[in-house]
Amino acid sequence: MELSAKIYVAGGRGLVGSAIIRKLRHNGCAHIIERSSKMLDLRDQAATLSFFRNEQPEYVFVAAAKVGGILANNTYPADFIYDNLIMETNMIHAAHETGVKKMLFLGSSCIYPKFAPQPIKEEYLLTGELEPTNEPYAIAKIAGIKLCQAYRKQYGDNFISVMPTNLYGINDNFDLEGAHVLPALIRRFHEAKQRGDSAVSVWGTGTPRREFLYVDDLAEACCFLMEHYDDSDIVNIGTGSDITIVELAHLLAKVTGYQGDIVFDPTKPDGTPVKRLDVSKINQLGWQAKTSLADGLATTYRWFCESKK
Ligand code: GDP
């Protein structure tokens, strides 16, 4: 990817897209294009195709998606499947039509079966039932992978797909109802500390295990794969280690300075019991995660306080 290449980062205002843009700028890429969802509705096929025709991007990172935590996925399944299916279909087809040199599609670790053996290898895709709380989102992401593979097979398009684990970092969504666990608990503990609350409720039993990757590490991995990987097989991106939600809650209480009780609410869903990615493939390709959870959490909390989310 030449430094002068024209690069489109779809979803450039979000957690992942904004981190990819920071990384590309840091690397010296001078010609990065982005559009807010207000300026370009990627669900609109004609508008998406005409944007690709006018701008002629050479490289595309597909980080635009409708995303959310377990409650949002469970409450708005139609939005999660429809928005994601239509946006990715429009972008992948437009990239094909306009001769994009290379496209990187971002999936998610929830594409794997709910009870996949751990750690989860790339080849476990489509070997078992999905987790019901996010099945519509997962089906859309699996369709995105299959689109990339089909366009590569039929037309020789250089479209690759990567599967990140649970992500966190600056520019995340800290909205209590829609957020993933990590930003939701940062906000909950921060506000409880400010109000002097004696207890904070954390959803589920606290026993599920999750792997958390700092988003700047993900952005580095995406740029690395854009340079060094040209194959239809998907690639996991993660740290390779996980913690329980109980452990995460205690870590976040410490980071935010919350000293009250932590109470688990088993009436809320747990989701997948465990999803730790096998990252040996990307490690062998020459990349591994660098940011410790302690450092990533501290940076994220600092940003949350400064941006007064
Ligand atoms: P998931 O990885 O798709 O299940 O996404 P989430 O980040 O939404 O949830 C991860 C785990 O954290 C689940 O077991 C949730 O029940 C648990 N959790 C605990 N408190 C919260 C919260 O306040 N918000 C969210 N989203 N999840 C929570």
Side-chain angles (χ1 to χ4, degrees):
M1 201 165 57
E2 320 74 57
L3 294 180
S4 61
K6 196 166 189 183
I7 307 166
Y8 171 44
V9 181
R13 308 275 164 105
L15 171 71
V16 172
S18 63
I20 291 175
I21 291 177
R22 280 198 301 281
K23 182 67 189 164
L24 290 170
R25 290 216 171 104
H26 173 84
N27 289 352
C29 295
H31 210 161
I32 303 165
I33 40 179
E34 54 146 340
R35 289 287 184 281
S36 68
S37 52
K38 284 200 179 65
M39 289 166 76
L40 172 63
D41 184 352
L42 291 163
R43 294 169 304 180
D44 180 334
Q45 187 179 35
T48 304
L49 187 54
S50 117
F51 165 76
F52 272 75
R53 285 215 170 105
N54 291 337
E55 293 294 338
Q56 296 284 330
E58 297 168 79
Y59 297 87
V60 178
F61 291 85
V62 180
K66 177 160 184 71
V67 295
I70 194 163
L71 189 69
N73 269 274
N74 223 3
T75 316
Y76 307 108
D79 294 354
F80 277 85
I81 192 164
Y82 174 80
D83 285 8
N84 286 306
L85 274 176
I86 198 159
M87 283 194 282
E88 70 201 17
T89 305
N90 288 346
M91 283 185 277
I92 291 166
H93 187 69
H96 165 70
E97 284 286 302
T98 58
V100 163
K101 279 189 194 159
K102 187 164 178 181
M103 174 178 242
L104 180 146
F105 173 73
L106 278 129
S108 160
S109 61
C110 71
I111 56 147
Y112 292 113
K114 173 170 182 149
F115 297 114
Q118 304 290 315
I120 308 172
K121 293 184 192 304
E122 286 87 352
E123 63 253 35
Y124 298 163
L125 176 64
L126 292 175
T127 56
E129 301 260 319
L130 297 166
E131 154 61 32
T133 51
N134 53 28
E135 190 187 63
Y137 175 77
I139 292 280
K141 287 293 179 185
I142 293 170
I145 296 169
K146 293 295 165 190
L147 276 162
C148 290
Q149 291 174 341
Y151 277 76
R152 174 183 288 277
K153 188 172 174 204
Q154 187 174 337
Y155 299 114
D157 291 324
N158 194 359
F159 297 166
I160 63 171
S161 302
V162 305
M163 299 307 121
T165 190
N166 290 37
L167 302 166
Y168 71 99
I170 67 175
N171 287 327
D172 206 346
N173 168 18
F174 288 84
D175 157 62
L176 280 183
E177 295 298 305
H180 283 102
V181 61
L182 197 152
L185 291 187
I186 286 185
R187 171 177 288 263
R188 211 162 274 162
F189 287 134
H190 176 80
E191 291 179 352
K193 180 182 73 174
Q194 285 185 326
R195 287 192 300 260
D197 293 353
S198 58
V200 160
S201 171
V202 175
W203 299 351
T205 59
T207 56
R209 303 185 70 89
R210 292 290 183 274
E211 174 186 0
F212 295 99
L213 177 69
Y214 189 58
V215 74
D216 285 16
D217 284 1
L218 171 80
E220 185 186 77
C222 289
C223 293
F224 172 83
L225 292 170
M226 197 57 132
E227 295 282 353
H228 300 291
Y229 187 76
D230 297 301
D231 201 280
S232 67
D233 292 342
I234 62 177
V235 185
N236 288 340
I237 308 179
T239 62
S241 35
D242 61 0
I243 60 170
T244 64
I245 298 301
V246 173
E247 289 165 328
L248 176 74
H250 284 99
L251 264 176
L252 288 174
K254 201 163 150 209
V255 169
T256 57
Y258 167 73
Q259 291 179 335
D261 293 337
I262 298 172
V263 183
F264 288 87
D265 173 5
T267 65
K268 294 282 196 313
D270 268 346
T272 303
V274 39
K275 47 174 171 177
R276 179 164 59 93
L277 293 180
D278 184 318
V279 288
S280 44
K281 182 169 174 175
I282 193 165
N283 290 167
Q284 275 156 21
L285 286 167
W287 180 88
Q288 62 188 48
K290 296 187 180 63
T291 310
S292 69
L293 189 55
D295 286 349
L297 292 181
T299 311
T300 306
Y301 182 55
R302 219 169 23 246
W303 181 84
F304 171 80
C305 292
E306 282 163 8
S307 66
K308 293 192 183 61
K309 279 275 163 185

